[in-house]
Amino acid sequence: MEGLKVSDANLVVFLHPSKSNRVSKAVLHELSSHLFQFSEIFDGVLLAYDVDIVDRNAKLLSGIHPYIGVRLKAKLLLFSPKPNMLIEGNVVKLTPESIHVIVLGFASAVIIDEDVREEFEYRTKHGKEVYRSKAHRRHVIEVGTMVRFLVKSLDREILHICGSLEPSNTGSIHWLDQNFGSGTKRERENEMKMQEHAVVGGEEISLGNDQSKKSKKRRLREES
Amino acid sequence: MSNNLSAPDPAELSSSVGSGSNNMGVELANERAQFLEMEEVNFTDNELVYHVRTALKSASSGDSESYDELIGVMHHRERLSPDEVAMLVTCLKALSGTVSCIDVVHHESLLSSIFGMSMWNYGPEVMDALVDLIISLAASSGKFVDSCLDMLIRNFVPPYSYLALLKQPRGLSRKDQVLSRVHSALESISHLVPLAPMRLLSLVIQRMPRQNDNETVMMTYVENMFKLESGSMGQLVGSTMLIAVVDRLLDLDLEIGWEDIVQDDSSKGIFEMELEDLEEDEEDLNDEGDELPGKHLSRNSLRGNVIAEKLDSLLVLTFEYLESCQGHGRLLEVFETLLHSFRITVLNAYKSKFAQFVMFYACALDPENCGVRFARMLVDIFVCHDHPPMTRMSAVAYLASYLSRGKFLSANYITTMLKRLVDWCLDYCNVQDGDVNPFAHRVFYAGCQAIMYVLCFRMTSIMSIPRLKSQLFLMPIETILKHKSDPLKVCLPSVVGEFLKQARAARLFTVTKTFIFDDILESELSRAFGGLERLDSFFPFDPCLLKKSDSFIRPNFIFWSMVKTTYDDDEDRDEDEEGSGDEDGEESVDGVGEDRRDRMATSFNEQDIDIEEFDYALNKMSITPKQSLMYKFGGGLEELVRMPSRIRPSTSPESL
């Protein structure tokens, strides 16, 4: 999946003096407050971080309350989908007019019927809604399918993606991988393993495997 | 469009149309008869969607005829005829299918009419269609999410015109219909837009009714907040909801003017105080004076009355919610949030009056877990140097009042808590060597006063259990109280007086010099250690004066009149009736005596108990004079007139 990157960052986190007895906790708290928000500076949505405090000496910001600036070195997992990137998500709802997808468990995406290529048509099969390809009978998109789609635009505030299923390399990942393949089989396996171990905000999610994908939200829903 | 539309023939609906909109044909088929006059033009769902889509697109380019018709349909509100309902439902459903064409700028008027609709004005079919539309809108684009959530939140409460209807069964069933749909819509949206709960949180808090808003509106809104807390989004939004409710309780609490009503003149007898207030009320009813306390009590207390009623209702709502949480086994997790909220807000609030009873009730519901947890938190704060002195003093005041008043607390546990207080005080004594200094040793004095206060209530019950009695005797209380800093002189005289009386009777220890207090409530020294906030006379769990809440609290509460003191045998009987064959020597555990006073208290009806308790309370232990509050809130003139006659022993029926 495109759009995911790991960046190295040198950060300085300024803490209120009241937090000086528990610096690590305060630093983590501060960084956590930026999770799942789009940051102009990082140019992406912060999904996970791994920090090391570089210097035990902090610089002081002078003022009424001397804030403590702690220097950090961090590895940041960022998600920044740009137009024309291919990203993947889990289908949660199908209507005659749209396909609703959730990407990485937190970003909502919608593909409107005008952006779904002609070969797909909406059908109701045994009470279940599906988008079935007229060209390939086995290419089916239903609730729970992992789909790969093209990014048209991203709403940075609410992290809402507009997508498209126009290109022929988009659609159900399961079917696409079987019939097109992306590189050698080994490459594909490695990619899937890497995605499986992505740590998102402390929770592990597994990507690229439509059977066992359980996003944090889905797990919560199932538990409740 | 309105002229051409007619009920589509169900047979015409193709199977390719989504299952969701199949109902439309069936529904409208029922309305067929009404359309006979119009042209029999049949539209399928797809065609309707296409029609709306065209209307929207043409509106963008300037031709807004069909578009305006569409908006016109939205604005039908009151008493819709069945075909109007059908029309509205059709439009809403068609719009659901065309959300991708709705533009935030070009179709602003359409959007504002949609978002302005209140589900309370319509029947279930329209509600369903509207909810579907809102969900589709929210899922279609990030720009609509906030407005959709906002619209749903605004539907938490009915429009003002509907408020009166809420009390009727019709109104209640409508409420049920609306709220169930609103909450399931919120859940659907969060299912499609995972970050929606984050936005929902801030919007719900923003729109929360303020202290001055209508009571029904506030109660309904808070009901919804509780629903969110216990719903599927509970893990994400729940704790914020609870904290916001506690904040609102506190806001209401602080609106009630403590200073406006408290009479500082402690030399007056209670009845004189009340009768004076009564006269002042009548005089000042039409007065347009300023709002200084004392002179214009009536206006302030009347204003407080409305707020007090709101606080009362909100507290009761919270109590009921706690009960339901307990029913679902969730009380402990809810309690953790409440505890956190208490710690950061209520604990440090300037003399919170009733908001803290939320904690009391939660502890009463689950004494072993919540009850214990609460006391432990308070003790931990008290003994820890990291907290500012004010917080520590406040914590120990809460602890003392809680341990004394909680009927559900075992003597064993109280003794354990006492031991912790005593241990800390002893350590302090060993380290400190100073003289009487109310300010410097204020935390210590607060601790000593807490120990004495708890023992005033609980001495008998602790003494009645041999194991605990020996523990009590082993505690170095005498050492602490006879320390150079002289807590007996500095602490509140009424507490010290009562404690010494009981301690002597129990032979716990005696003091050589006599303390003559003459029933003074407070002294200069006690005021000094209490500071500006008067933490010396702060007993937060004194009887709750809000009528409805009190009915919840009462079964778990120890009133002073229920306490059997160690000197009971020799107690003078000037206020008890004579001739009762009751034995004085009746032993009872936990201080709930079977003595005359208690019997008298329990045989009255509810209203009279209030008066009885408060009378005793003021006379004996409860320092803060609250009788006047009681009369302003709950009582009428009748109690005032009756009360003096009740006190005269010969006329009270129980004496016969």
Side-chain angles (χ1 to χ4, degrees):
Chain A
M1 180 165 119
E2 296 166 5
L4 278 171
K5 59 183 178 187
V6 177
S7 296
D8 290 315
N10 295 324
L11 306 170
V12 180
V13 174
F14 289 99
L15 306 174
H16 190 269
S18 63
K19 311 272 192 279
S20 57
N21 59 340
R22 262 172 287 189
V23 169
S24 325
K25 188 173 163 196
V27 162
L28 291 175
H29 183 83
E30 179 62 38
L31 282 171
S32 297
S33 67
H34 290 280
L35 284 174
F36 298 116
Q37 284 172 33
F38 191 90
S39 161
E40 292 288 343
I41 309 166
F42 300 140
D43 187 34
V45 181
L46 181 64
L47 296 183
Y49 54 82
D50 191 16
V51 284
D52 280 315
I53 296 179
V54 162
D55 204 344
R56 303 269 0 150
N57 298 322
K59 58 183 182 187
L60 287 175
L61 197 66
S62 54
I64 299 175
H65 300 289
Y67 272 70
I68 307 165
V70 183
R71 274 183 275 256
L72 309 165
K73 242 184 154 41
K75 271 187 157 12
L76 306 172
L77 180 63
L78 298 164
F79 178 56
S80 70
K82 301 270 192 296
N84 295 322
M85 276 188 179
L86 284 171
I87 58 176
E88 294 155 17
N90 188 25
V91 175
V92 285
K93 186 175 173 186
L94 293 168
T95 70
E97 296 88 26
S98 57
I99 299 176
H100 296 272
V101 178
I102 305 244
V103 177
L104 292 176
F106 72 91
S108 54
V110 73
I111 304 162
I112 57 176
D113 54 355
E114 288 164 358
D115 292 325
V116 178
R117 57 184 184 270
E118 258 308 302
E119 77 175 81
F120 281 105
E121 62 173 357
Y122 176 89
R123 301 210 75 85
T124 317
K125 215 177 69 164
H126 312 305
K128 264 188 356 180
E129 294 130 336
V130 292
Y131 270 79
R132 179 184 291 275
S133 164
K134 289 184 280 209
H136 312 276
R137 300 285 305 169
R138 290 183 153 263
H139 195 172
V140 154
I141 296 176
E142 44 186 28
V143 172
T145 312
M146 289 293 290
V147 291
R148 183 177 295 139
F149 60 94
L150 196 79
V151 175
K152 277 178 72 183
S153 67
L154 168 72
D155 181 326
R156 289 178 170 186
E157 244 189 76
I158 191 89
L159 303 176
H160 185 96
I161 302 169
C162 267
S164 158
L165 281 176
E166 282 291 344
S168 51
N169 59 348
T170 58
S172 159
I173 294 176
H174 184 73
W175 188 88
L176 287 171
D177 283 349
Q178 275 180 346
N179 293 280
F180 283 85
S182 49
T184 65
K185 192 156 177 239
R186 184 166 300 236
E187 263 180 67
R188 252 185 288 137
E189 278 174 0
N190 284 341
E191 200 191 281
M192 275 169 61
K193 273 212 193 75
M194 190 179 78
Q195 287 169 351
E196 272 168 12
H197 292 297
V199 178
V200 178
E203 289 263 348
E204 278 214 10
I205 62 164
S206 44
L207 306 172
N209 186 345
D210 56 334
Q211 253 72 46
S212 65
K213 153 128 190 165
K214 276 189 188 299
S215 70
K216 185 173 172 185
K217 293 278 185 308
R218 259 187 83 183
R219 227 182 290 131
L220 280 176
R221 249 182 280 117
E222 275 153 20
E223 276 162 25
S224 60
Chain B
M1 181 173 151
S2 48
N3 289 328
N4 294 334
L5 186 65
S6 147
D9 193 332
E12 292 223 2
L13 292 169
S14 60
S15 60
S16 66
V17 173
S19 50
S21 23
N22 269 337
N23 294 330
M24 190 158 80
V26 177
E27 255 184 273
L28 293 177
N30 297 332
E31 263 68 68
R32 269 210 118 168
Q34 331 242 340
F35 289 85
L36 282 175
E37 309 137 46
M38 305 180 192
E39 283 178 45
E40 287 281 333
V41 181
N42 293 324
F43 282 104
T44 62
D45 284 351
N46 279 343
E47 286 169 321
L48 281 160
V49 165
Y50 176 74
H51 188 98
V52 171
R53 217 173 264 214
T54 339
L56 291 172
K57 286 197 172 127
S58 51
S60 311
S61 48
D63 170 24
S64 57
E65 200 194 312
S66 327
Y67 176 70
D68 288 336
E69 275 181 3
L70 200 56
I71 299 181
V73 175
M74 298 290 149
H75 277 283
H76 283 149
R77 211 160 292 195
E78 308 278 329
R79 277 174 244 289
L80 295 176
S81 61
D83 43 312
E84 284 177 313
V85 168
M87 177 65 65
L88 187 54
V89 168
T90 318
C91 287
L92 290 171
K93 285 191 167 157
L95 280 167
S96 298
T98 58
V99 284
S100 49
C101 303
I102 299 180
D103 179 70
V104 106
V105 172
H106 292 127
H107 303 125
E108 196 207 320
S109 38
L110 176 66
L111 284 169
S112 61
S113 13
I114 296 174
F115 293 137
M117 289 174 81
S118 171
M119 285 162 64
W120 295 79
N121 292 326
Y122 304 104
E125 319 85 39
V126 179
M127 283 190 217
D128 284 331
L130 182 55
V131 152
D132 282 339
L133 173 57
I134 295 289
I135 297 173
S136 307
L137 266 175
S140 70
S141 164
K143 301 190 206 76
F144 299 133
V145 172
D146 278 349
S147 317
C148 292
L149 292 175
D150 196 53
M151 183 266 183
L152 288 169
I153 292 171
R154 259 186 285 116
N155 272 279
F156 276 175
V157 290
Y160 274 101
S161 49
Y162 203 89
L163 279 177
L165 283 168
L166 266 186
K167 296 191 182 62
Q168 300 170 15
R170 186 166 48 111
L172 283 174
S173 77
R174 178 60 59 89
K175 174 177 166 184
D176 211 29
Q177 288 170 344
V178 173
L179 293 186
S180 58
R181 283 170 174 79
V182 164
H183 284 274
S184 72
L186 288 171
E187 282 170 25
S188 304
I189 293 179
S190 73
H191 177 67
L192 296 171
V193 184
L195 290 178
M198 204 165 78
R199 320 287 293 196
L200 181 66
L201 254 183
S202 44
L203 287 170
V204 170
I205 304 294
Q206 258 177 46
R207 287 206 158 266
M208 196 173 171
R210 307 243 179 276
Q211 297 89 283
N212 293 321
D213 286 336
N214 179 293
E215 184 180 321
T216 322
V217 165
M218 185 183 289
M219 296 308 135
T220 319
Y221 196 90
V222 171
E223 255 185 70
N224 279 284
M225 289 173 76
F226 283 146
K227 248 191 155 115
L228 282 174
E229 198 275 330
S230 56
S232 66
M233 284 190 276
Q235 262 173 311
L236 303 168
V237 304
S239 50
T240 316
M241 295 291 118
L242 284 173
I243 292 175
V245 172
V246 173
D247 282 347
R248 189 55 85 244
L249 280 171
L250 198 58
D251 287 338
L252 286 169
D253 195 302
L254 295 173
E255 283 278 316
I256 301 176
W258 208 213
E259 306 81 11
D260 295 344
I261 295 167
V262 160
Q263 309 272 334
D264 261 330
D265 191 354
S266 42
S267 63
K268 279 196 208 159
I270 351 147
F271 305 124
E272 296 153 45
M273 233 174 357
E274 266 77 68
L275 293 174
E276 263 189 24
D277 289 352
L278 183 59
E279 284 162 31
E280 271 183 305
D281 279 356
E282 288 168 317
E283 277 169 33
D284 294 346
L285 265 173
N286 297 319
D287 229 319
E288 282 299 323
D290 57 272
E291 307 203 318
L292 285 175
K295 266 280 170 190
H296 302 274
L297 269 179
S298 59
R299 299 194 83 231
N300 286 334
S301 40
L302 277 177
R303 189 157 55 100
N305 203 349
V306 171
I307 301 278
E309 272 172 35
K310 274 186 213 166
L311 179 59
D312 201 6
S313 308
L314 193 53
L315 266 176
V316 167
L317 197 63
T318 317
F319 290 162
E320 285 167 350
Y321 183 66
L322 288 176
E323 279 171 6
S324 88
C325 285
Q326 192 194 29
H328 291 112
R330 297 185 55 232
L331 185 61
L332 206 53
E333 67 177 82
V334 167
F335 186 75
E336 284 301 318
T337 313
L338 287 177
L339 200 61
H340 171 74
S341 173
F342 173 86
R343 210 181 141 140
I344 57 179
T345 54
V346 181
L347 186 61
N348 287 316
Y350 174 47
K351 287 205 163 183
S352 160
K353 291 167 235 32
F354 312 116
Q356 62 270 20
F357 276 102
V358 173
M359 306 304 296
F360 190 91
Y361 193 65
C363 292
L365 286 175
D366 187 1
E368 273 125 56
N369 295 310
C370 302
V372 161
R373 184 97 180 75
F374 185 53
R376 202 178 314 132
M377 181 206 77
L378 292 170
V379 163
D380 287 343
I381 292 179
F382 174 66
V383 304
C384 175
H385 288 273
D386 285 344
H387 296 99
M390 206 74 67
T391 312
R392 295 168 74 187
M393 287 168 74
S394 179
V396 83
Y398 271 98
L399 181 67
S401 194
Y402 172 67
L403 290 176
S404 312
R405 300 290 190 172
K407 206 183 210 177
F408 44 88
L409 293 170
S410 67
N412 187 22
Y413 186 67
I414 293 170
T415 316
T416 320
M417 287 290 112
L418 265 179
K419 186 154 195 318
R420 280 195 72 181
L421 287 178
V422 167
D423 286 345
W424 184 88
C425 289
L426 188 67
D427 286 341
Y428 190 90
C429 287
N430 292 337
V431 170
Q432 294 287 339
D433 202 28
D435 280 326
V436 175
N437 189 335
F439 184 74
H441 302 304
R442 57 196 190 282
V443 179
F444 172 66
Y445 292 132
C448 294
Q449 183 166 303
I451 296 171
M452 290 192 276
Y453 187 79
V454 174
L455 282 173
C456 288
F457 276 79
R458 302 289 198 171
M459 202 182 289
T460 315
S461 55
I462 294 178
M463 296 289 201
S464 62
I465 301 174
R467 175 177 54 94
L468 299 178
K469 179 174 177 175
S470 48
Q471 275 187 34
L472 183 63
F473 272 87
L474 282 173
M475 288 190 208
I477 296 177
E478 187 164 354
T479 324
I480 294 169
L481 293 177
K482 291 185 176 168
H483 184 254
K484 260 172 106 182
S485 57
D486 213 354
L488 291 173
K489 211 201 247 168
V490 179
C491 290
L492 214 57
S494 42
V495 176
V496 177
E498 177 66 29
F499 170 75
L500 288 177
K501 219 166 150 193
Q502 291 207 35
R504 180 188 297 119
R507 284 189 279 278
L508 189 58
F509 71 84
T510 48
V511 279
T512 44
K513 50 181 173 161
T514 46
F515 285 82
I516 300 159
F517 288 116
D518 291 332
D519 265 340
I520 325 168
L521 292 172
E522 58 199 33
S523 68
E524 249 187 60
L525 286 169
S526 80
R527 269 195 289 269
F529 103 78
L532 280 172
E533 294 75 19
R534 297 310 309 281
L535 286 171
D536 58 319
S537 55
F538 180 43
F539 302 102
F541 291 115
D542 271 347
C544 181
L545 296 172
L546 302 172
K547 270 208 123 80
K548 290 186 278 185
S549 319
D550 190 47
S551 61
F552 283 80
I553 298 291
R554 178 174 297 269
N556 307 297
F557 196 80
I558 295 181
F559 290 92
W560 176 247
S561 61
M562 292 153 66
V563 173
K564 198 166 155 59
T565 57
T566 51
Y567 53 79
D568 242 350
D569 300 346
D570 336 313
E571 172 70 334
D572 55 329
R573 304 172 187 205
D574 56 349
E575 287 181 6
D576 304 341
E577 74 267 39
E578 305 154 342
S580 151
D582 212 337
E583 283 302 300
D584 289 340
E586 258 184 82
E587 286 287 287
S588 62
V589 191
D590 286 331
V592 179
E594 291 291 317
D595 66 325
R596 270 164 272 111
R597 275 175 295 168
D598 186 39
R599 266 209 0 213
M600 194 157 83
T602 52
S603 59
F604 288 0
N605 67 31
E606 183 124 20
Q607 279 189 328
D608 296 345
I609 292 178
D610 296 344
I611 303 151
E612 190 62 39
E613 309 296 13
F614 295 139
D615 164 45
Y616 275 93
L618 189 71
N619 262 345
K620 301 291 175 185
M621 285 310 299
S622 173
I623 308 304
T624 44
K626 291 176 195 154
Q627 262 60 1
S628 42
L629 270 181
M630 179 61 208
Y631 293 122
K632 302 298 182 290
F633 293 157
L637 288 177
E638 310 82 36
E639 278 102 54
L640 270 177
V641 170
R642 268 199 309 199
M643 189 160 139
S645 64
R646 280 282 178 194
I647 291 304
R648 272 182 261 125
S650 52
T651 58
S652 55
E654 288 72 23
S655 67
L656 303 168

